[in-house]
Amino acid sequence: QVQLQESGPGLVKPSGTLSLTCAVSGGSISSSNWWSWVRQPPGKGLEWIGEIYHSGSTNHNPSLKSRVTISADKSRNQFSLKLTSVTAADTAVYYCARVNDYGGNDYWGQGTLVTVSS
Amino acid sequence: EIVLTQSPGTLSLSPGERATLSCRASQSISSRYLAWYQQKPGQAPRLLIYGSSSRATGIPDRFSGSGSGTDFTLTISRLEPEDFAVYYCQHYVSSPATFGQGTKVEIK
């Protein structure tokens, strides 16, 4: 059973950088899957942030412009998200997930709330 | 960017009734890359359907998906108390892999 666990600071100051890590167990990020980040502002819907393949290939949501960096650490079996120049609009629950062969996210972390506030 | 529009926004039904949720894409997409999720308060989304019609592992057969082109449907044949939740569709045809805005299925 694949399990994912997000970790990182729950509070980030405006204009700062949000950094989260997703630790994967019960499976390998070097498998033939993409690994994604999704966020959900309080009381709102889901927003796809981006994804990474173990080769290092990434895709990300253009709406976040160049603020997003997704990276992978195969030795630690984890992948990470960095979002720069954050504002209150980036306050959300951030989820990491595994992407199956059809694009569906079949395994999810429990999510972590990140609040942007001074 | 492909936009997914879900309707209705809220569906008020009683247990035992049939629920029909719609997801319309702004352009034709491959049915291979359309998924449906269920989300309950305080929980991560759960994959219900992938490839527009294939049930994910452990999903009861009262959930079914169909559609092609721009119009996709999630049907819950007989609502159980645990099915009252928010449902999202998502495509994976191209980046960004956008979600619909969600349909809330609430108890009437």
Side-chain angles (χ1 to χ4, degrees):
Chain A
Q1 177 82 346
V2 177
Q3 293 185 316
L4 298 91
Q5 178 68 58
E6 306 91 349
S7 61
L11 182 64
V12 180
K13 291 186 181 340
S15 77
T17 297
L18 179 159
S19 296
L20 296 174
T21 296
C22 181
V24 179
S25 59
S28 171
I29 66 165
S30 296
S31 64
S32 57
N33 293 98
W34 288 74
W35 302 86
S36 71
W37 288 98
V38 174
R39 71 180 182 178
Q40 184 171 37
K44 297 188 177 180
L46 301 168
E47 180 181 24
W48 184 83
I49 298 171
E51 62 184 354
I52 187 165
Y53 196 65
H54 63 80
S55 63
S57 295
T58 59
N59 296 301
H60 65 269
N61 196 325
S63 69
L64 296 170
K65 299 183 180 179
S66 57
R67 298 196 294 134
V68 172
T69 301
I70 300 174
S71 60
D73 186 338
K74 289 184 282 188
S75 67
R76 295 185 176 186
N77 210 35
Q78 62 187 33
F79 60 106
S80 299
L81 169 70
K82 287 190 189 301
L83 183 64
T84 61
S85 305
V86 297
T87 69
D90 295 308
T91 294
V93 175
Y94 286 76
Y95 297 100
C96 58
R98 189 185 82 164
V99 184
N100 72 13
D101 291 343
Y102 295 84
N105 292 286
D106 55 1
Y107 292 98
W108 293 71
Q110 65 186 23
T112 187
L113 174 63
V114 179
T115 301
V116 178
S117 175
S118 55
Chain B
E1 175 178 325
I2 296 173
V3 176
L4 298 180
T5 302
Q6 293 186 238
S7 61
T10 302
L11 202 48
S12 298
L13 295 168
S14 300
E17 290 193 292
R18 181 185 188 91
T20 303
L21 287 67
S22 173
C23 176
R24 177 163 290 177
S26 59
Q27 64 189 71
S28 182
I29 63 174
S30 169
S31 59
R32 176 183 171 92
Y33 299 119
L34 192 287
W36 289 93
Y37 301 87
Q38 176 193 68
Q39 187 180 34
K40 297 179 180 179
Q43 296 184 15
R46 177 173 70 146
L47 179 66
L48 297 176
I49 301 287
Y50 62 91
S52 79
S53 61
S54 296
R55 275 187 298 277
T57 303
I59 301 302
D61 61 7
R62 63 180 181 272
F63 290 93
S64 63
S66 64
S68 63
T70 60
D71 292 310
F72 298 88
T73 300
L74 173 70
T75 301
I76 310 171
S77 59
R78 290 177 315 279
L79 283 165
E80 297 288 341
E82 62 268 28
D83 299 337
F84 292 92
V86 180
Y87 293 83
Y88 295 94
C89 57
Q90 183 200 18
H91 82 82
Y92 194 66
V93 173
S94 58
S95 177
T98 52
F99 291 88
Q101 81 278 20
T103 290
K104 182 179 182 180
V105 178
E106 65 175 23
I107 299 176
K108 186 174 181 180

